Amino acid sequence: MMVNVRLFGMLGILAKERSVALHMAERATLGDVLAELGKRFGREFMDRILRVPGEMHSYCRVFVNDIPVDDLGTELETNGSVAEVGMILLMASEGG
Amino acid sequence: MEMVAEATQTNGQLNDAWIPSACSLCYGTCSILAHRLDGVLVKIEGNPESAVGKGRLCGKGVSGLMTHYDPHRVRVPLRRTNPIKGIGIDPGWKEISWDAALDEIAERLRKLREDDPRKLFIQRTTTVTSSRTPIQVFAAAFGTPNRSSAGGGLHCGNGAHLISGIMHASWSVVPDFQYCNYAVYFGASKGHSAGHASCSNMGLAADARARGMKMVVVDPMCNFAAAKATEWVPIRVGTDAALALAMCNVTVNELGIYDAPYLQAKTNAPYLIGPDKSYVRDPESRKPLVWDRVVRKAQPYDAAKPQEMALEGKFEVNGVPCEPSFQLLKEHLKTFTPEWAERITTIPAKNIRRLGSEFAREARVGSTIVIDGITLPYRPVAAIAFRGSQGHMNSVYDFLAVDLLNHLVGSADMVGGCLGFNPACHGHPDTGRPHFIPKAGPDGLMITGIWMAHHNPYPIREPRMPEQVGLQDLFVLCQTSPFSDSSDHEELWDKFHLPYRPEILLNYGTNLLMSIGNKETVAKSLAKFKFIISFDLFLTESSDFADIVLPDCDYLESLDSRPNFPFIFNLPGGMGEWCWPIKQPTVNPDGQQRRCSDILVELADRIGMREDLNAAFNAILKLEGPFRLERERRYSYEEVCDAELKTNFGPDRGLEWFRKHGVIKWPKKPGEVYWRHCVDVRVPIYWEFLPAIREKIAAIAEPRGVKIPQEYYEPLPDWIPCSSHVENTPGYDLFAFYYRDIIHTNSFTMENPWLDEAARLDPYSYTIAINAETGRKKGLKEGEEIWVETEKGRRVKGRLHLTEAIHPEGLGIGACAGHWGDGMPVAKGKGVFFNDLLEVDFDHVSPVNLKGLCRALGRRNARRQGKGRFFQRSLRG
């Protein structure tokens, strides 16, 4: 299956690519997609996304076909012929 | 500028309208009605239709008109012409057009983003809650992790937020006023015209006192809270943890009162702890083990029935000796006898024993109550704390010690007890939104259902080499940080090889020079920025360091779809109503002012990050379905607000509906308010993760010369003296502390003529308060001007007020006053600039949450000036 990954904010700048097209096996999961991104963009990139292996930081937001997903085991469904994945980091502090 | 609100109530005249909106004179953000007559705002009242304030409005709120119509507001964009920056240096402002301003800003930001987006530092005031979302969105879209609040968060309750988050899934805590019978306040002003849900809490607290709730206020000063208390307990500054720990000891060890079923089911009290202070874990699942008293063996915590878990005893599991964490806590508490605490706090041991006993007995452990047909535990006692008691290096233990009282008697988020502000919401009946409930995370401990930012307090992040200028990614238990402005920031950044330096500061409404620490230190850090953009209502002392000042709209000219969301911040706790108000423009600006939210959208477009901005809006506002923003389309902020409201409340309740109605509300359910009884989560009375976090931080920091002290990272709370408690330089014999004056908000409201007048009439607002007897012993007289000096030689001057209403060793300074700039002429020269006494460096903050270099703890002593006198009576230049 085809997966288009859009990297927003810091992720796009780190990766130096804002849109990544991936060929994934059928029934690929979000975790599989992240693993593929890790191969492509390296450990520093993945450290921004994963708190520990298998779990994303609470400030990493991932949308699959515009639906928020935080379980890495979620199987991707294609929206037509392509699954669209969007990722953004919301990392910053707050006070008050 | 969009059309301002139409009339909602008329008396027959065309231009007579009462417009529902939200206050921004403090972050309480109470709902208001603004009365506009022939285009002029003539009055502001509380909105009785809203649960946020319930029609009440404090003195600050009603005086908002005077800020709005202040002739000294910035009305045009300004560009500095003088490249030299410093305190007292004229920026040489010249008026420029919005286009010219935005062209220059966009070009600089675009280049910076291409270079390294982390070089942008964004700062905002917490006073205007409506700035939170647009700035969070802009930061996420831009790609910078460097965003801070209220000048490094020094008005902020960092320790309170961390522990309220981990223990209550909320930003702060408050007594369940409707049912509480006994509340102990440790440096908190919930219900006394300040802070979260201030006006609502005022009414709730007053009703509770009238009903008979005993309110005990532990505070060095008998001011806003203590003056309304049943009992004021004067305490030596910064020693609240010692009192709280002694009260815990009285409760558990002297009286033997604790809520065993609560501790078994809702905390990690039964988790077995080994000699290494860590959980004893199941070899296969790695889950913490508990001792099952029925089967007489260790079981994973989720495999045993809570009532069968041992809380006490010594066991051996797989050859490892271990004890339940409650057993360790119980032993630990024995150290903290009332007699020990008396020596530290100056509170007589018999009073400590009485307070502990009253608290424990009033908890009625084991009792239940029926609310709306649901039987719930009834624990009508609450111990709460906030900024006053934890604004110092020991802030984490301090708040945790206070909160332990609630957990020992099972009153945390139970009826009548200590409530987090609204951590569980099942959503509006029509849509099920917003929806958030705490859930169990690693080791069964609680993860918040919602949080003010996106870095949840638990699970704790893994410490790493920092890439944030505040080092929050190393000191993972902190929220806001002073290290963007500290005197040692370059040294720290060098030590940690920070791969960049901040170059541009985007400031929203914060007067950094006054809100962090001594002005010389902050000025040096501000002067190092290559470019500063500042959205301001007035030219503040910090605006003088800006390169471009953008004239901001005030709250009466602004729009926000979520001024009181998340509900964990400033929606009243307890039973009642969920309530979602909006903020809307009531008049158009009379100059060239534009709203920051609109400008940020425009800047994003000019920088070329529209897609990122829309993605950030979608993520942060959780926009869904047809209301989700399309990737490439340009939206106005008004359209974004409309999308959020429709996402949450349906297509018929968008911005237009809210403009007319102002607020939507629906009843709270007992299962939401008293969620803890219904949700299977635990909280840590034993912070097992702390030593491990310390080890990871130390592994990075100590090879680089930054010592991470062990004693602050033990699993059980302790009282650790601050440097001022062990300071013995002769003559420095008073503990100076700052407190939030309820007449004022941070450094902002001194410019408001009505509030300034009220403060001048008040004997405390603009003075230095010292105990009358102490003053007499020093030969001081009421009303004379004095200098206060720290052992580091930092000094402030002010007018003395002698009073019985302060601890004999205390020196209290109210508000963040003492303006010296010309841009706020009403404020200029009023009050005392306490922060000028404060060092801003690593040695003066908590090594856990980076909190504490200022406010409310006597880290600074006042001493005599001149031979034989404690204070010089004449002014020095």
Side-chain angles (χ1 to χ4, degrees):
Chain A
M1 65 189 295
M2 279 294 296
V3 180
N4 278 342
V5 182
R6 292 196 170 270
L7 302 171
F8 298 107
M10 178 190 279
L11 291 176
I13 293 163
L14 274 174
K16 297 185 171 56
E17 292 181 51
R18 299 177 52 81
S19 182
V20 183
L22 301 174
H23 290 278
M24 304 294 297
E26 289 302 312
R27 305 191 64 188
T29 65
L30 176 59
D32 296 332
V33 170
L34 295 188
E36 193 60 33
L37 292 175
K39 286 180 197 165
R40 187 175 294 215
F41 300 123
R43 182 176 170 182
E44 191 186 350
F45 180 88
M46 291 308 291
D47 282 349
R48 320 284 176 131
I49 295 169
L50 298 181
R51 186 184 78 85
V52 290
E55 181 189 323
M56 288 191 295
H57 286 294
S58 61
Y59 52 75
C60 181
R61 293 286 189 277
V62 176
F63 297 87
V64 177
N65 300 325
D66 286 347
I67 306 294
V69 174
D70 56 12
D71 180 357
L72 298 188
T74 303
E75 286 183 17
L76 304 188
E77 292 180 7
T78 55
N79 188 5
S81 57
V82 178
E84 297 280 351
V85 175
M87 301 177 65
I88 189 167
L89 300 182
L90 310 177
M91 56 181 298
S93 312
E94 195 54 73
Chain B
M1 183 63 62
E2 78 210 36
M3 224 168 69
V4 298
E6 296 295 332
T8 54
Q9 302 168 32
T10 66
N11 62 5
Q13 298 175 40
L14 183 60
N15 292 315
D16 186 340
W18 286 87
I19 301 154
S21 190
C23 185
S24 285
L25 267 289
C26 83
Y27 60 57
T29 317
C30 294
S31 298
I32 60 170
L33 291 171
H35 189 191
R36 187 185 66 211
L37 197 57
D38 291 334
V40 177
L41 294 173
V42 295
K43 193 174 188 186
I44 300 171
E45 294 183 353
N47 183 357
E49 293 302 310
S50 172
V52 188
K54 301 182 178 177
R56 299 176 180 88
L57 199 59
C58 73
K60 297 187 288 286
V62 298
S63 70
L65 289 175
M66 301 302 284
T67 296
H68 174 75
Y69 286 117
D70 191 314
H72 304 106
R73 278 183 59 184
V74 185
R75 284 178 164 71
V76 294
L78 298 171
R79 179 72 170 85
R80 90 179 293 120
T81 56
N82 183 357
I84 309 298
K85 295 181 179 181
I87 295 171
I89 294 176
D90 181 0
W93 295 122
K94 74 167 184 181
E95 187 177 329
I96 57 172
S97 69
W98 270 103
D99 257 349
L102 295 184
D103 278 348
E104 181 175 357
I105 293 168
E107 181 61 10
R108 287 179 182 270
L109 289 177
R110 189 183 58 73
K111 284 182 180 168
L112 191 80
R113 191 169 187 250
E114 283 174 4
D115 173 23
D116 188 338
R118 298 173 298 185
K119 292 182 177 177
L120 175 64
F121 187 86
I122 304 181
Q123 175 78 47
R124 76 172 188 91
T125 175
T126 55
T127 304
V128 183
T129 56
S130 298
S131 65
R132 190 173 58 86
T133 296
I135 284 181
Q136 280 186 353
V137 165
F138 190 85
F142 194 87
T144 180
N146 292 315
R147 179 169 59 80
S148 188
S149 303
L154 300 181
H155 289 280
C156 160
N158 250 7
H161 302 325
L162 169 73
I163 295 154
S164 297
I166 289 179
M167 306 301 278
H168 296 269
S170 186
W171 199 244
S172 184
V173 293
V174 68
D176 183 12
F177 287 116
Q178 289 149 292
Y179 295 97
C180 185
N181 290 334
Y182 192 95
V184 191
Y185 281 51
F186 292 79
S189 58
K190 302 289 190 286
H192 308 96
S193 193
H196 310 104
S198 58
C199 288
S200 307
N201 282 339
M202 273 194 286
L204 290 166
D207 290 345
R209 290 193 301 269
R211 179 176 53 77
M213 181 185 83
K214 181 169 182 177
M215 182 180 285
V216 177
V217 171
V218 178
D219 199 304
M221 197 162 178
C222 181
N223 51 21
F224 320 108
K228 295 180 177 62
T230 321
E231 179 179 353
W232 171 42
V233 181
I235 187 168
R236 177 180 283 149
V237 177
T239 62
D240 304 68
L243 171 62
L245 288 166
M247 288 173 65
C248 288
N249 185 24
V250 169
T251 299
V252 172
N253 288 313
E254 295 193 7
L255 301 173
I257 294 177
Y258 51 88
D259 188 339
Y262 172 90
L263 291 165
Q264 289 166 315
K266 302 295 181 185
T267 75
N268 68 353
Y271 288 15
L272 294 171
I273 309 296
D276 62 354
K277 303 178 185 175
S278 300
Y279 296 140
V280 178
R281 294 181 180 272
D282 179 65
E284 288 181 12
S285 67
R286 303 303 300 157
K287 290 180 178 176
L289 295 171
V290 298
W291 188 261
D292 189 319
R293 293 179 300 186
V294 174
V295 297
R296 293 173 180 259
K297 69 173 186 179
Q299 304 255 45
Y301 70 89
D302 55 355
K305 293 177 181 171
Q307 65 271 24
E308 290 162 6
M309 297 177 183
L311 288 176
E312 298 182 57
K314 295 180 186 295
F315 307 97
E316 187 171 306
V317 176
N318 299 328
V320 177
C322 50
E323 302 169 61
S325 66
F326 181 72
Q327 175 75 57
L328 291 171
L329 173 64
K330 200 175 170 189
E331 289 300 315
H332 176 73
L333 290 174
K334 286 178 181 172
T335 316
F336 309 113
T337 65
E339 288 72 21
W340 165 86
E342 177 179 342
R343 291 192 293 276
I344 292 167
T345 63
T346 73
I347 301 167
K350 65 175 184 183
N351 285 357
I352 296 173
R353 207 162 257 119
R354 174 178 58 79
L355 292 169
S357 175
E358 286 177 357
F359 186 86
R361 294 185 196 285
E362 286 288 347
R364 306 186 191 190
V365 172
S367 63
T368 58
I369 189 171
V370 178
I371 295 181
D372 291 354
I374 300 174
T375 301
L376 296 160
Y378 177 51
R379 301 287 181 277
V381 296
I384 70 162
F386 198 60
R387 189 70 184 84
S389 64
Q390 50 89 72
H392 52 78
M393 292 180 71
N394 203 24
S395 65
V396 172
Y397 283 164
D398 199 300
F399 195 101
L400 187 55
V402 172
D403 197 38
L404 264 183
L405 284 161
N406 301 308
H407 295 280
L408 288 171
V409 300
S411 74
D413 303 296
M414 299 297 182
V415 181
C418 173
L419 303 182
F421 278 82
N422 310 299
C425 177
H426 299 168
H428 187 276
D430 291 350
T431 61
R433 292 178 62 110
H435 187 277
F436 50 88
I437 298 174
K439 62 182 180 183
D443 297 335
L445 302 183
M446 180 176 67
I447 300 177
T448 58
I450 197 167
W451 195 237
M452 293 299 293
H454 307 279
H455 55 293
N456 288 346
Y458 185 84
I460 315 290
R461 287 173 288 167
E462 291 292 301
R464 48 178 278 182
M465 278 291 280
E467 71 163 343
Q468 292 180 261
V469 296
L471 313 184
Q472 292 101 324
D473 32 7
L474 175 62
F475 294 94
V476 288
L477 291 162
C478 103
Q479 309 209 35
T480 52
S481 156
F483 292 141
S484 53
D485 301 287
S486 65
S487 60
D488 56 356
H489 65 253
E490 273 297 344
E491 184 188 341
L492 289 166
W493 293 343
D494 280 343
K495 284 178 176 174
F496 293 113
H497 308 297
L498 193 78
Y500 65 95
R501 293 292 182 269
E503 292 186 4
I504 295 183
L505 170 65
L506 178 63
N507 177 54
Y508 177 81
T510 299
N511 190 349
L512 293 140
L513 219 55
M514 292 190 70
S515 61
I516 295 176
N518 74 80
K519 59 180 176 293
E520 285 78 17
T521 297
V522 180
K524 280 180 190 169
S525 71
L526 285 182
K528 284 161 66 176
F529 280 101
K530 291 180 180 173
F531 195 71
I532 297 178
I533 308 141
S534 194
F535 290 90
D536 283 317
L537 292 180
F538 301 95
L539 289 176
T540 70
E541 288 75 7
S542 302
S543 313
D544 282 355
F545 285 73
D547 292 275
I548 291 182
V549 170
L550 298 174
D552 193 22
C553 287
D554 77 349
Y555 71 107
L556 294 165
E557 301 156 340
S558 293
L559 176 72
D560 182 19
S561 52
R562 48 159 50 190
N564 297 87
F565 191 79
F567 295 144
I568 60 170
F569 190 77
N570 54 14
L571 188 77
M575 292 297 289
E577 292 166 318
W578 296 108
C579 185
W580 184 302
I582 66 157
K583 176 186 289 182
Q584 63 175 318
T586 59
V587 286
N588 283 323
D590 60 357
Q592 294 182 34
Q593 298 96 323
R594 294 179 63 186
R595 289 193 290 267
C596 172
S597 49
D598 294 333
I599 297 305
L600 292 178
V601 170
E602 182 168 342
L603 276 175
D605 233 29
R606 288 180 182 232
I607 295 167
M609 55 180 220
R610 182 190 297 176
E611 287 187 35
D612 306 83
L613 195 83
N614 288 351
F617 272 127
N618 283 333
I620 289 175
L621 300 180
K622 299 186 176 177
L623 304 180
E624 287 189 3
F627 310 115
R628 204 170 160 77
L629 306 188
E630 294 170 22
R631 210 172 58 231
E632 294 179 355
R633 190 183 141 194
R634 178 173 177 171
Y635 295 87
S636 67
Y637 193 66
E638 204 172 337
E639 288 175 297
V640 173
C641 289
D642 184 57
E644 182 184 30
L645 294 168
K646 286 176 176 169
T647 298
N648 281 321
F649 302 110
D652 297 330
R653 295 195 189 102
L655 187 55
E656 188 180 339
W657 187 94
F658 272 88
R659 280 188 191 283
K660 185 177 176 186
H661 296 87
V663 57
I664 192 168
K665 54 188 180 177
W666 66 99
K668 289 180 179 176
K669 293 177 279 196
E672 295 172 315
V673 176
Y674 307 112
W675 58 275
R676 195 184 291 265
H677 181 66
C678 314
V679 179
D680 187 17
V681 296
R682 295 173 181 270
V683 294
I685 60 159
Y686 180 95
W687 283 34
E688 187 257 4
F689 44 78
L690 267 187
I693 293 290
R694 187 243 162 217
E695 279 182 27
K696 291 173 183 173
I697 296 172
I700 294 170
E702 296 197 340
R704 294 169 174 84
V706 178
K707 174 80 176 156
I708 308 298
Q710 180 80 47
E711 65 267 28
Y712 287 88
Y713 283 88
E714 294 292 335
L716 292 170
D718 203 343
W719 182 74
I720 301 174
C722 289
S723 56
S724 56
H725 293 123
V726 295
E727 168 65 43
N728 55 12
T729 307
Y732 292 84
D733 61 347
L734 296 175
F735 296 98
F737 62 94
Y738 151 93
Y739 60 92
R740 294 181 180 186
D741 183 11
I742 60 165
I743 296 174
H744 284 304
T745 299
N746 303 341
S747 64
F748 166 49
T749 49
M750 292 87 200
E751 174 64 13
N752 185 302
W754 288 356
L755 296 175
D756 172 58
E757 183 178 350
R760 282 186 282 118
L761 292 169
D762 185 280
Y764 297 96
S765 288
Y766 289 157
T767 61
I768 297 168
I770 295 178
N771 180 274
E773 181 59 26
T774 304
R776 276 192 286 275
K777 286 178 184 170
K778 295 177 186 295
L780 300 173
K781 289 183 181 171
E782 172 70 19
E784 67 180 332
E785 285 196 291
I786 61 169
W787 284 97
V788 178
E789 185 181 296
T790 72
E791 70 279 12
K792 299 279 187 186
R794 298 200 182 278
R795 303 193 309 160
V796 296
K797 69 180 177 185
R799 191 160 47 84
L800 177 66
H801 179 56
L802 296 174
T803 173
E804 301 294 338
I806 189 169
H807 189 279
E809 298 171 3
L811 185 152
I813 296 176
C816 190
H819 285 267
W820 62 88
D822 294 326
M824 299 170 72
V826 177
K828 186 177 181 180
K830 305 286 175 57
V832 182
F833 183 32
F834 175 84
N835 280 1
D836 225 13
L837 296 172
L838 302 175
E839 307 302 321
V840 191
D841 58 33
F842 186 80
D843 290 338
H844 291 82
V845 297
S846 158
V848 182
N849 67 345
L850 306 185
K851 175 48 62 183
L853 50 80
C854 83
R855 319 252 191 241
L857 167 68
R859 290 190 53 75
R860 313 283 167 246
N861 296 336
R863 74 153 194 174
R864 67 176 68 193
Q865 287 284 302
K867 191 174 180 182
R869 287 175 178 273
F870 276 78
F871 294 89
Q872 182 170 333
R873 295 183 184 183
S874 60
L875 287 176
R876 286 186 170 180

